[in-house]
Amino acid sequence: MSAKNKVLTVVGALLILVWCLLPVAWIISLSFKSQEAITTGSPGFLPAEGGRAGWQNYVDVLNDEQFRRAILNSIGISLIATTLSVVLATLAAYAIARLEFKGKKFVLSTALVIAMFPVVALVGPLFDMWRTFGIYDTWLGLIIPYLSFTLPLAIWTLSAFFREIPWEMEQAAQVDGATSWQAFRKVIVPLAAPGVFTAAILTFFFAWNDFVFGISLTSTERARPIPAALSFFVGQDPFNRPASLLAAGAVVSTIPIIIIVLLFQRKIVAGLTSGAVKG
Amino acid sequence: MTNTVVAPDSREDRAKTAQMSDRSRAEQRLGQKLVLPAVIMMLVVTAFPMLRAIYLSVFDYSLTAPDDRSFVGLQNYTTALTDSLFWKTTLNTVFIMVVTVAVELVIGFIFAMVMHRVIFARGIIRTSILIPYGIITVVSGFAWQFAFSNSNGFINEWLPWVADSFNWFGQYGSAIAAIMVSEIWKTTPFMSLLLLAGLAQVSEDMIEAAKVDGATWWQRLWKVILPNMRSAIMVAVLFRALDAYRIFDNIFVMTAGAQGTGSVSFLTYRQVIEQFQLGIGSALSVLLFLSVLIIAALIVKIFRVDLAAARQES
């Protein structure tokens, strides 16, 4: 690489880092400003002299019953939806990658259409139906739509992974004296596990991020997930949003995502790109 | 894992499929059985509600007066299609979609080129690029709203040509710009990762050969790299465009539709959930779905790439 190219690459890399991290740094900075400083209006990136709140905003947010409920709802609903979605998608992707059957094209194109679906187009009928079935404003009422909307991504990611598995290895293990069950468990399961795991992460991201279903299909803190709770979090003065409190809540709700990203960065990139481009 | 019980049999099935038709039939049945739960799950929340939306859209039906439901034919559609608000939001949504996808394509490609070339700190860059992707859209909407705010933000202070008291959310142009900044920030990483995967599939040999033949950097980009990434670019544009057309979270959080910044999704949500107008809201839902189909068909046609081939088995 020429010296000029090297400089350009370094500048580009720095630009990417600033792009990705600046708004994050900003929301963290905001979460440490005092509420008085916010209401009197204190523009600027870092908290001004005397406008620092320390951990007070975090203490307040975590002491807020509604916020705690929303975090619990989000964790519970997202985990259940992720588990179910990955189980169903594993069955389907296994069949798509390894078996010949009529209707394979139908499954893949259905998944494609659903991935493009404008979610808002469904909330009306779902709102109506869920009220009739009595699952409006319940965990189940959110788990079902999350399940449906994460299945396409999970099926694509998994079938792309499964197709890469050298299935002959299982036969080789059988030749070496393993029973077919042992061969599958000892050879295929470990190879498939990273794919299943990747699909689980992407599914969890979707459920954690959802907003449309979250605000349309819930009405109380019984099931309201964190994005919806944040948007309804107005404090005592509805005309002046408690920016610093909201920022603290936003940071708390981002921590699980940051941890997942830090731990599994490689897998997420592989999952996103194999599901979408290589397919 | 749940499929372990059936796997060993199917393994043997597969080896003999060619000769044995009852085996092949068994494989058919097994395959269908395995995909069935996923298909049912996908259809329960899409096909059935969509049919119900089509059905409800021909009624005058408000949840505030559910007993007064009456059949009105296509009247909800004519009401929507002759209402200037519908066309204003549609135009606004198309505008957001075109601008954000175009900007994201350019920035995303530059990011992808950098990530492709960079040798140091690969892990750090890939980790950071996933952060905007992973962050809740509502959170990024708030972050940018406060950043643009003239009482708490820093943007006015940092931009020398903008007055410190300038209210970004006071008029259409600047409000829509703020919404698009938030949208672009959040989704460019996704675009650049897809483009990075496409870039990785362009053979280095071909680029080298073009270099030996004396092609300039610009010529190599346009004649070798981009044409070979066509299907990756198409998938990225298609997915981002459809996603951008459904824009909702950022608008809800940042302006709540003020200054004419509402999108089609936002208008539909308002009608159904806030005003309980299921009839006209359902008609809007159907129109929204139709426009997404039209956009998908247009993009596939413009790029002339077989989508099934790009996404399914080779």
Side-chain angles (χ1 to χ4, degrees):
Chain A
M1 226 190 298
S2 68
K4 192 184 134 208
N5 272 348
K6 234 175 218 161
V7 171
L8 274 179
T9 315
V10 173
V11 171
L14 286 176
L15 210 77
I16 295 180
L17 290 182
V18 171
W19 172 282
C20 296
L21 301 179
L22 182 82
V24 179
W26 157 243
I27 200 94
I28 293 173
S29 156
L30 194 58
S31 73
F32 284 106
K33 291 183 177 179
S34 74
Q35 301 218 50
E36 296 73 50
I38 292 287
T39 34
T40 53
S42 92
F45 195 81
L46 294 170
E49 203 55 46
R52 284 185 210 98
W55 293 98
Q56 194 50 48
N57 291 318
Y58 288 90
V59 174
D60 290 350
V61 157
L62 292 174
N63 279 331
D64 186 284
E65 175 61 27
Q66 287 189 27
F67 184 82
R68 282 209 307 260
R69 278 290 316 195
I71 284 271
L72 279 180
N73 286 338
S74 264
I75 292 176
I77 293 171
S78 302
L79 284 181
I80 296 173
T82 302
T83 313
L84 292 175
S85 164
V86 166
V87 169
L88 295 188
T90 302
L91 293 177
Y94 175 83
I96 288 168
R98 283 196 82 191
L99 306 174
E100 277 316 313
F101 61 95
K102 260 188 223 140
K104 200 192 257 194
K105 275 245 154 78
F106 172 77
V107 179
L108 286 166
S109 37
T110 309
L112 194 68
V113 172
I114 290 171
M116 297 173 182
F117 225 89
V119 175
V120 170
L122 299 177
V123 299
L126 278 181
F127 177 75
D128 205 25
M129 280 162 59
W130 274 196
R131 279 158 31 106
T132 319
F133 299 156
I135 56 170
Y136 175 73
D137 199 25
T138 64
W139 279 25
L140 186 63
L142 285 181
I143 289 170
I144 294 174
Y146 291 172
L147 196 49
S148 315
F149 275 90
T150 54
L151 272 171
L153 187 62
I155 290 176
W156 282 325
T157 312
L158 276 170
S159 47
F161 261 95
F162 284 4
R163 235 174 264 135
E164 311 265 300
I165 293 180
W167 298 94
E168 297 74 25
M169 280 172 66
E170 182 191 355
Q171 240 173 351
Q174 281 183 43
V175 171
D176 289 346
T179 65
S180 42
W181 164 241
Q182 276 176 331
F184 187 82
R185 199 172 58 95
K186 296 249 160 92
V187 179
I188 298 305
V189 171
L191 286 175
V196 173
F197 196 69
T198 308
I201 295 172
L202 296 179
T203 301
F204 185 84
F205 272 26
F206 177 97
W208 191 258
N209 185 31
D210 162 73
F211 182 58
V212 178
F213 291 127
I215 51 167
S216 317
L217 302 178
T218 65
S219 59
T220 66
E221 58 190 53
R222 251 175 87 198
R224 188 172 284 155
I226 191 80
L230 282 176
S231 82
F232 288 126
F233 190 51
V234 279
Q236 287 102 336
D237 179 4
F239 296 104
N240 220 333
R241 274 171 172 162
S244 54
L245 265 184
L246 253 172
V251 172
V252 172
S253 70
T254 306
I255 290 171
I257 293 297
I258 305 266
I259 293 174
I260 294 176
V261 165
L262 285 177
L263 291 178
F264 309 113
Q265 162 261 121
R266 251 164 209 281
K267 290 195 172 120
I268 305 172
V269 173
L272 277 176
T273 48
S274 71
V277 178
K278 269 191 280 161
Chain B
M1 229 167 34
T2 354
N3 61 358
T4 47
V5 186
V6 289
D9 291 338
S10 68
R11 187 75 203 86
E12 285 153 26
D13 279 1
R14 197 172 156 82
K16 297 170 192 155
T17 298
Q19 297 91 6
M20 310 180 82
S21 67
D22 51 336
R23 286 267 164 144
S24 121
R25 237 175 283 134
E27 182 172 316
Q28 286 252 2
R29 273 200 303 273
L30 178 63
Q32 284 161 348
K33 242 186 256 167
L34 289 178
V35 295
L36 194 65
V39 171
I40 292 176
M41 221 41 240
M42 289 194 283
L43 293 183
V44 161
V45 177
T46 48
F48 186 60
M50 202 64 235
L51 291 176
R52 186 146 169 91
I54 295 171
Y55 170 76
L56 286 178
S57 70
V58 292
F59 286 95
D60 180 13
Y61 180 26
S62 165
L63 279 183
T64 50
D67 299 333
D68 292 344
R69 184 160 108 172
S70 61
F71 180 79
V72 291
L74 294 179
Q75 199 194 305
N76 285 327
Y77 290 94
T78 43
T79 310
L81 291 171
T82 51
D83 190 337
S84 66
L85 186 62
F86 174 78
W87 291 107
K88 258 168 92 178
T89 52
T90 300
L91 262 178
N92 188 42
T93 316
V94 171
F95 177 65
I96 294 173
M97 177 183 77
V98 171
V99 174
T100 56
V101 172
V103 173
E104 284 174 27
L105 192 57
V106 175
I107 301 178
F109 189 74
I110 295 172
F111 281 11
M113 292 282 270
V114 172
M115 285 195 286
H116 191 61
R117 294 259 166 261
V118 89
I119 355 175
F120 55 93
R122 261 210 154 127
I124 297 177
I125 293 175
R126 288 206 173 178
T127 307
S128 351
I129 207 137
L130 285 173
I131 288 175
Y133 171 75
I135 275 185
I136 300 175
T137 315
V138 169
V139 168
S140 92
F142 276 128
W144 284 105
Q145 191 208 16
F146 291 134
F148 278 103
S149 143
N150 56 8
S151 57
N152 316 319
F154 63 92
I155 303 250
N156 284 354
E157 229 174 62
W158 284 16
L159 295 180
W161 62 88
V162 175
D164 281 357
S165 61
F166 180 68
N167 179 7
W168 285 82
F169 301 103
Q171 58 279 313
Y172 175 77
S174 53
I176 206 75
I179 289 172
M180 289 196 289
V181 165
S182 177
E183 184 79 2
I184 290 169
W185 176 74
K186 164 103 173 103
T187 49
T188 298
F190 177 71
M191 183 79 119
S192 69
L193 284 173
L194 295 190
L195 294 175
L196 178 66
L199 209 51
Q201 287 175 333
V202 180
S203 97
E204 286 291 329
D205 295 351
M206 258 162 45
I207 302 174
E208 277 308 310
K211 219 176 195 169
V212 172
D213 290 346
T216 63
W217 182 85
W218 196 245
Q219 283 169 330
R220 292 199 301 271
L221 178 67
W222 284 97
K223 299 263 161 72
V224 182
I225 301 178
L226 290 180
N228 278 298
M229 290 176 63
R230 214 176 58 158
S231 74
I233 294 176
M234 196 227 40
V235 170
V237 167
L238 178 67
F239 271 66
R240 271 305 307 141
L242 296 175
D243 206 35
Y245 197 82
R246 316 183 269 207
I247 182 170
F248 179 77
D249 311 17
N250 269 322
I251 293 175
F252 187 97
V253 167
M254 293 178 78
T255 62
Q259 322 297 348
T261 53
S263 65
V264 184
S265 280
F266 187 77
L267 180 69
T268 310
Y269 169 84
R270 271 247 148 115
Q271 289 299 319
V272 177
I273 305 293
E274 282 178 6
Q275 294 170 12
F276 304 112
Q277 299 296 333
L278 270 183
I280 186 109
S282 298
L284 286 170
S285 299
V286 175
L287 291 173
L288 178 59
F289 182 60
L290 287 178
S291 11
V292 167
L293 281 185
I294 292 170
I295 294 167
L298 272 179
I299 293 175
V300 171
K301 207 168 172 133
I302 290 171
F303 282 84
R304 281 171 295 145
V305 170
D306 180 6
L307 191 65
R311 299 208 54 113
Q312 295 170 20
E313 291 135 277
S314 44

